[in-house]
Amino acid sequence: SMRTERVIFTGGEPLIRKDLSQLIRRATSLKMKVHINSNGTLVPKLLEELRPISALTISLDGDRNVHDRIRGAGAFDAALVALRAAKTLPSVKVRLTAVISSDSIGAEDALLDVARREGVDVFFQPAEHRLLGSDEPNPIAPPIARYRETIDHLIAEKEGGAPIANSLSALRFLQKWPDGPALPCAGSKLFCRLDYDGRVMICGRMGEYEESYSALDLGFREAFMKLNE
């Protein structure tokens, strides 16, 4: 009734939900586009359930050595199997997403090589410089100087036609991270986070500062509108 256009199922790992196929069918029956962020492990097993979705983003942080070191032995091969399986779904746009962290920095060219071979784009994002919802520093945040050199390299690659999903303007903004002007937040205006327990939040990234209202108690519309009070 609020004309929601897109639902993104993320996590953790959303494909472990037993009722995900029911949620997908419900959302698509209401003409909502469904996007899913996944590590890919369960994609081949659930391929038919994913057929109605619009987009699937699979996490890949580097080449086999880097990705498996971060996520466990076999994770790289599992992600590629998932990517190739998902590409057989004609209406699903598939891409990769990579976190630039102290554990993965330097693996960007290897990721772009994978993207070129597989015919998909890669979206790059930095590891947060603070732990989520905290003032504590994130131990895997990339070194700033090397991070900025990496973004400069990605800008040059993008200008040369590399399969990078970020726009040039977004990369130039990221080049200043974690400094530079803050972008206006559209949380509670254009989007929100609906958590597993029914809490409606601005974005889920504010930790103890996050206000929330229960969609189970108030209904989604009222819970969402209260975020703007």
Side-chain angles (χ1 to χ4, degrees):
S1 67
M2 296 180 71
R3 300 183 181 181
T4 298
E5 294 186 357
R6 181 181 295 113
V7 175
I8 302 173
F9 293 108
T10 184
E13 175 51 51
L15 296 189
I16 65 174
R17 281 193 67 111
K18 303 298 185 185
D19 60 350
L20 184 63
S21 61
Q22 179 184 349
L23 296 174
I24 291 171
R25 289 195 303 270
R26 178 63 173 162
T28 54
S29 74
L30 296 170
K31 311 301 182 187
M32 298 177 191
K33 294 179 180 179
V34 174
H35 293 200
I36 291 179
N37 299 330
S38 173
N39 64 25
T41 303
L42 295 174
V43 166
K45 179 180 179 180
L46 301 175
L47 203 59
E48 284 307 306
E49 287 89 337
L50 298 176
R51 189 172 292 276
I53 72 174
S54 299
L56 175 67
T57 298
I58 295 173
S59 299
L60 195 67
D61 293 322
D63 58 19
R64 179 177 284 102
N65 288 336
V66 169
H67 191 71
D68 284 4
R69 185 175 70 247
I70 295 170
R71 296 178 182 261
F76 178 87
D77 289 335
L80 287 191
V81 169
L83 175 64
R84 292 163 184 166
K87 285 168 56 184
T88 67
L89 300 175
S91 63
V92 180
K93 180 176 177 58
V94 185
R95 75 176 185 184
L96 300 171
T97 187
V99 176
I100 302 173
S101 72
S102 60
D103 293 331
S104 67
I105 198 164
E108 295 76 25
D109 285 338
L111 274 170
L112 291 176
D113 286 343
V114 171
R116 290 185 184 98
R117 289 197 302 269
E118 301 297 333
V120 297
D121 292 339
V122 188
F123 182 84
F124 291 93
Q125 63 184 49
E128 300 280 352
H129 64 292
R130 301 288 181 189
L131 291 173
L132 208 55
S134 168
D135 289 329
E136 295 296 317
N138 186 352
I140 66 166
I144 297 299
R146 191 175 180 202
Y147 163 78
R148 289 178 176 165
E149 291 174 359
T150 298
I151 296 297
D152 286 341
H153 175 63
L154 292 178
I155 289 172
E157 288 290 311
K158 176 77 174 182
E159 290 174 334
I164 297 172
N166 311 66
S167 67
L168 277 172
S169 59
L171 288 171
R172 290 176 183 131
F173 180 84
L174 283 179
Q175 203 276 343
K176 300 178 178 63
W177 175 92
D179 303 317
L183 293 173
C185 179
S188 79
K189 299 175 178 65
L190 297 180
F191 67 86
C192 69
R193 180 181 179 96
L194 176 60
D195 218 352
Y196 69 94
D197 56 3
R199 288 182 299 151
V200 178
M201 298 176 285
I202 293 174
C203 72
R205 290 180 171 268
M206 296 170 62
E208 62 184 281
Y209 306 107
E210 181 85 89
E211 60 181 331
S212 65
Y213 301 93
S214 174
L216 300 180
D217 295 336
L218 302 173
F220 176 77
R221 177 189 293 273
E222 184 174 349
F224 179 82
M225 298 307 292
K226 285 183 75 66
L227 294 176
N228 291 285
E229 290 181 353

